[in-house]
Amino acid sequence: MAYNSIRPGQVWLDTEGKRIQAHGGSVIVVDGTYYFYGENKEKTDGENGIWHWGVRAYASKDLYNWEDKGLIIPPEPEDETSSLHPSSMMDRPHIIYNARTKKYVAWLKIMQKNGEQTETVLTADRFLGPYTKVREGLRPLNMSAGDFDLAVAPDGKAYYYFERVHSETICADLTEDYTDVTGYYSTHFPHPHPPYVREATAHFVRNYKHYLLTSGTTGYMPNPSEAAVADTWHGPYRVLGNPHPGDKTNTSFHSQISSVFKVPGKKDLYIACGDRWRPEHMDIPYESYEKLYDMLFDPEADRAEALKLAEKFPQDIRANTSIADYVWLPLRFVESCREYPQGMVFIDWKDEWRIEDYD
């Protein structure tokens, strides 16, 4: 079927009629073509030990209809020691282009079996590959590095925003070739433990302001997002609050944002691209989530009682994520005013929306 709109939370098929498999994904524009890429979960049923089957990419001219371009970073099923082995917990691939080296640089988060999180870095001459590993087992700044985002400034300097597991958010400068960190970094949002620790960092720039959208740390159980803003790449970042108004469940509309994409040619259209990892749990009453998050994110609440309540909710990482859906929604901005002295960014629910409806 052909699409002429975006329908958040509904099953999204490619031009061959198959589920799109680009989870924890991002959108990049190359020579006038949109590419949507992310974790290929087609074989991940929650039972067979397969966490991923490489990184898959799709091409589109309209952001609605996506042609499968195949695996741009394939798995390595024959090498159990490889960070690309299907059992390896590879998450949130991000790819940026280095205009100086003329290389596409991909970073992949790898969760080791011992809980430590490292990075695998690859490069390619073309966006669709082939990609070659240049670093494996990288511990940026000698830290266990979790969910992240990459961003490139107009002058070509690049930045790496990541969750230091499980304590704070780091913004680190990348080397000139974008394959490592320089050693210069700043720290943000220190928290004592999950669920307060911020993860799933998505960075974007609007009107010379730097925004970060993050989630709390609750596994596959969705939670309230948080927006922050700064005047520079390294901050300091000022927390604005939850960008999802009217979301009674406090679950970011049952999703987790993976990236924010500015649509070229549009004056002010930014899309928050997110995953609904466990669509089969949409039937949990919103009152239950509301009570849970009131306790989990209240520093004055009895933590033991909050964790006991959380045990009743489905959050096992062994999940059938091959059926995960996408929640893509436009951002709405409020300029500085009495109610929001530092401005605000909102994400409103829409059952269906069109790119063409935005200037």
Side-chain angles (χ1 to χ4, degrees):
M1 66 175 293
Y3 297 98
N4 60 9
S5 65
I6 291 175
R7 304 168 188 178
Q10 296 189 31
V11 175
W12 204 350
L13 306 178
D14 65 19
T15 54
E16 297 178 355
K18 300 176 182 178
R19 277 183 182 265
I20 294 174
Q21 296 288 343
H23 303 287
S26 300
V27 179
I28 188 173
V29 182
V30 180
D31 297 331
T33 297
Y34 301 112
Y35 289 97
F36 177 31
Y37 65 91
E39 308 158 36
N40 178 24
K41 296 285 196 176
E42 64 179 325
K43 297 180 184 290
T44 305
D45 63 8
E47 304 291 338
N48 57 15
I50 294 176
W51 183 264
H52 73 92
W53 201 258
V55 177
R56 187 175 289 278
Y58 298 81
S60 176
K61 290 294 186 180
D62 58 13
L63 290 171
Y64 302 140
N65 300 282
W66 296 94
E67 177 189 358
D68 183 6
K69 305 303 287 187
L71 296 176
I72 59 174
I73 301 176
E76 296 180 350
E78 305 305 319
D79 183 358
E80 293 186 1
T81 67
S82 170
S83 60
L84 293 177
H85 188 271
S87 65
S88 171
M89 294 183 182
M90 182 275 289
D91 291 322
R92 297 180 175 272
H94 287 284
I95 301 173
I96 52 178
Y97 180 68
N98 190 316
R100 188 181 66 83
T101 63
K102 299 188 180 343
K103 295 280 189 182
Y104 289 91
V105 183
W107 285 55
L108 316 177
K109 183 195 85 175
I110 310 295
M111 185 184 296
Q112 310 289 345
K113 290 181 174 58
N114 63 3
E116 182 182 46
Q117 300 185 46
T118 64
E119 306 297 313
T120 292
V121 182
L122 310 92
T123 63
D125 295 325
R126 299 171 55 251
F127 171 75
L128 293 176
Y131 284 82
T132 302
K133 280 188 230 174
V134 294
R135 300 189 192 280
E136 198 167 21
L138 174 65
R139 283 175 50 88
L141 304 168
N142 199 30
M143 297 177 183
S144 180
D147 290 355
F148 71 99
D149 199 3
L150 302 176
V152 180
D155 64 2
K157 188 174 177 60
Y159 301 85
Y160 167 47
Y161 294 87
F162 69 94
E163 174 219 355
R164 182 180 186 181
V165 184
H166 275 303
S167 61
E168 59 191 342
T169 297
I170 303 291
C171 174
D173 290 7
L174 292 186
T175 54
E176 286 190 0
D177 64 2
Y178 301 173
T179 69
D180 204 347
V181 293
T182 65
Y184 183 83
Y185 68 98
S186 55
T187 64
H188 312 273
F189 318 133
H191 289 289
H193 48 66
Y196 306 103
V197 178
R198 309 313 299 173
E199 67 174 8
T201 304
H203 169 276
F204 66 97
V205 179
R206 176 184 180 267
N207 292 346
Y208 305 104
K209 296 286 188 180
H210 296 261
Y211 291 84
L212 297 179
L213 298 182
T214 60
S215 78
T217 43
T218 57
Y220 276 144
M221 185 171 62
N223 62 62
S225 295
E226 183 176 272
V229 67
D231 297 321
T232 70
W233 295 89
H234 281 281
Y237 281 88
R238 305 176 293 278
V239 174
L240 299 177
N242 187 341
H244 292 87
D247 175 21
K248 294 181 179 180
T249 64
N250 267 330
T251 62
S252 306
F253 301 130
H254 288 273
S255 71
Q256 183 182 46
I257 297 168
S258 61
S259 62
V260 173
F261 174 62
K262 169 69 168 68
V263 179
K266 294 293 182 177
K267 180 181 178 181
D268 206 29
L269 178 54
Y270 294 76
I271 302 175
C273 304
D275 295 272
R276 181 169 285 170
W277 292 109
R278 306 295 295 268
E280 73 272 27
H281 293 141
M282 284 289 293
D283 57 350
I284 295 177
Y286 81 81
E287 294 90 349
S288 300
Y289 278 112
E290 191 174 39
K291 180 180 179 181
L292 171 65
Y293 290 120
D294 281 348
M295 294 188 68
L296 273 183
F297 289 91
D298 180 1
E300 303 301 321
D302 185 307
R303 180 154 177 80
E305 185 178 348
L307 292 175
K308 186 176 181 180
L309 177 62
E311 290 175 356
K312 300 179 181 179
F313 288 75
Q315 54 184 313
D316 194 336
I317 63 172
R318 295 183 299 276
N320 180 10
T321 49
S322 68
I323 61 169
D325 291 321
Y326 303 96
V327 176
W328 283 23
L329 290 166
L331 304 187
R332 174 171 60 90
F333 297 93
V334 174
E335 306 304 331
S336 177
C337 60
R338 179 176 298 180
E339 185 176 2
Y340 303 106
Q342 300 186 74
M344 186 59 191
V345 54
F346 288 116
I347 303 173
D348 303 303
W349 179 258
K350 297 178 183 295
D351 290 327
E352 183 177 10
W353 63 280
R354 303 178 75 247
I355 307 294
E356 291 79 7
D357 292 338
Y358 291 79
D359 295 332

